[in-house]
Amino acid sequence: KEDTTPAGAGRFLYFAAPLLTMTLAISAIAMIPFGPASIHILGVATPLVVANINVGLLAILAITSIGVYGVALAGWSSNNKYSLLGGLRSSAQMISYELSLTLSVVGILLLAGTFNLSELIMRQDGFTWGFLPKWNLLNPTLPQILGFFCYFVAAVAETNRAPFDLAEAESELVAGYHTEYSSFKFAMFFLGEYASMITVACLASILFLGGWLSPFPPTPGLAWTRYIPAAALAIAGVVLIINGAGYLTAFGRIVLPGLGIALCALAFLVSRPSVIDSVQGPFWFLAKVLLVLFIYVWVRWTLPRFRYDQLMRFGWKFLFPVALLNVVLTSLAVVMRK
């Protein structure tokens, strides 16, 4: 679309806001470990994390908390009342729910005692009673069910997704803080939003769902579960081939079956003994991330949008006390365990 700049806009901040939003959202992904430190595929060592730092969790929380500046600057610099209202709403919303989001993570830190994301995952290794994963969501000391609830709700609000999308409520504010944005600047806001969703889903997988750890215990009777990644790729490939054959356009009849054949070939490669163990971690990590993203979409299409007063009341009078309660209960459980 046409790239326009509204008259009276603060040009520097107007152009910097979408860039800031997208850059911060994408940079946080650099500290996400998508698997063990490195995997060996056909004899080649492949690292699965860009920056494995000891304070990875703290760094991600710090980076994502700065994201509010992009939205606030976009609303202020656009010289538009709807954009300004959207920016103010988003600022208040993100600051309010940032507290609950951070407190929901404190319980995990009390249980694990580290900020390193890879170590957080390894602390969840093992099984209770031989079959129940020791993920933090099911932690034998104190299951972090309340923590996960607070984290997910606050994360949805932090990323301005429905039913917390008051910053861009089209029925009230046209399009909110990005009303005056078009072309690639508009796309940068959405790239940043979806990158933030992926980051949130990755953190949920790491903090509560065991990251790259398999949900199945390593027993001989469950050895067949090692072939689940190959089976998933093969099924996806077959579905693409079948659906592609029914397309009316030549593009669909060629591209989709081609992708399906490629996935089937990849499934065959993944099932090889030299590769099968290396793909387990990344596969289960991505599967858990996709599960969280599915819940994101599910919530979006299920719940209606809150009013702004309901949004703030829910954040301060319900979610924040629940997050505090989870911290207190986890602290007591850790002390009693010792």
Side-chain angles (χ1 to χ4, degrees):
K1 294 183 179 181
E2 183 181 359
D3 188 7
T4 61
T5 302
R11 294 184 64 87
F12 176 76
L13 296 179
Y14 178 79
F15 284 99
L19 182 63
L20 180 66
T21 300
M22 185 185 71
T23 303
L24 290 173
I26 293 177
S27 61
I29 300 178
M31 285 163 280
I32 298 293
F34 291 89
S38 63
I39 61 174
H40 291 79
I41 299 179
L42 301 178
V44 179
T46 305
L48 293 177
V49 57
V50 177
N52 187 19
I53 59 178
N54 288 330
V55 289
L57 178 59
L58 190 62
I60 290 178
L61 292 177
I63 290 173
T64 54
S65 66
I66 304 175
V68 66
Y69 286 103
V71 176
L73 291 176
W76 182 83
S77 63
S78 296
N79 193 30
N80 180 292
K81 60 183 179 181
Y82 296 117
S83 299
L84 180 60
L85 285 173
L88 291 174
R89 279 187 176 188
S90 180
S91 301
Q93 174 179 323
M94 294 176 76
I95 292 171
S96 299
Y97 281 83
E98 189 84 30
L99 294 172
S100 300
L101 180 70
T102 306
L103 284 175
S104 67
V105 175
V106 172
I108 304 296
L109 298 177
L110 290 171
L111 293 171
T114 179
F115 282 102
N116 186 287
L117 295 177
S118 297
E119 291 183 14
L120 279 170
I121 294 175
M122 296 312 300
R123 301 288 172 88
Q124 302 174 65
D125 195 11
F127 293 85
T128 305
W129 303 319
F131 69 93
L132 193 64
K134 289 185 178 179
W135 301 345
N136 285 322
L137 186 64
L138 307 170
N139 192 285
T141 301
L142 181 70
Q144 291 296 299
I145 298 174
L146 281 180
F148 180 74
F149 170 77
C150 293
Y151 174 86
F152 184 77
V153 173
V156 173
E158 282 283 298
T159 51
N160 289 318
R161 299 289 293 178
F164 301 104
D165 57 341
L166 273 298
E168 49 188 83
E170 70 281 350
S171 60
E172 305 169 22
L173 303 178
V174 185
Y177 61 90
H178 53 69
T179 299
E180 297 291 351
Y181 283 89
S182 61
S183 189
F184 192 67
K185 295 193 294 294
F186 176 80
M188 289 170 75
F189 276 116
F190 275 83
L191 286 172
E193 180 177 317
Y194 282 92
S196 297
M197 287 175 57
I198 293 173
T199 302
V200 163
C202 290
L203 277 182
S205 172
I206 292 170
L207 297 175
F208 297 97
L209 303 177
W212 64 72
L213 299 175
S214 171
F216 300 103
T219 58
L222 294 174
W224 59 269
T225 59
R226 297 166 63 229
Y227 293 93
I228 290 179
L233 289 172
I235 292 172
V238 171
V239 169
L240 284 177
I241 293 172
I242 294 174
N243 288 338
Y247 264 68
L248 298 177
T249 62
F251 179 81
R253 290 198 302 269
I254 295 173
V255 173
L256 289 182
L259 290 175
I261 293 172
L263 285 178
C264 291
L266 184 60
F268 175 76
L269 175 64
V270 165
S271 65
R272 307 305 298 163
S274 59
V275 180
I276 190 169
D277 290 327
S278 299
V279 300
Q280 298 298 315
F283 172 80
W284 288 115
F285 183 85
L286 293 176
K288 295 169 186 177
V289 170
L290 290 176
L291 174 63
V292 176
L293 291 175
F294 169 77
I295 299 175
Y296 248 108
V297 178
W298 188 12
V299 169
R300 177 182 180 86
W301 290 105
T302 303
L303 300 179
R305 180 183 293 135
F306 288 113
R307 293 198 317 265
Y308 192 70
D309 61 308
Q310 293 173 330
L311 172 80
M312 301 304 287
R313 188 184 304 116
F314 179 80
W316 285 106
K317 293 188 176 182
F318 177 77
L319 198 64
F320 183 62
V322 171
L324 274 177
L325 176 64
N326 180 66
V327 173
V328 173
L329 293 177
T330 306
S331 303
L332 292 175
V334 170
V335 171
M336 292 175 64
R337 182 185 63 182
K338 294 181 179 180

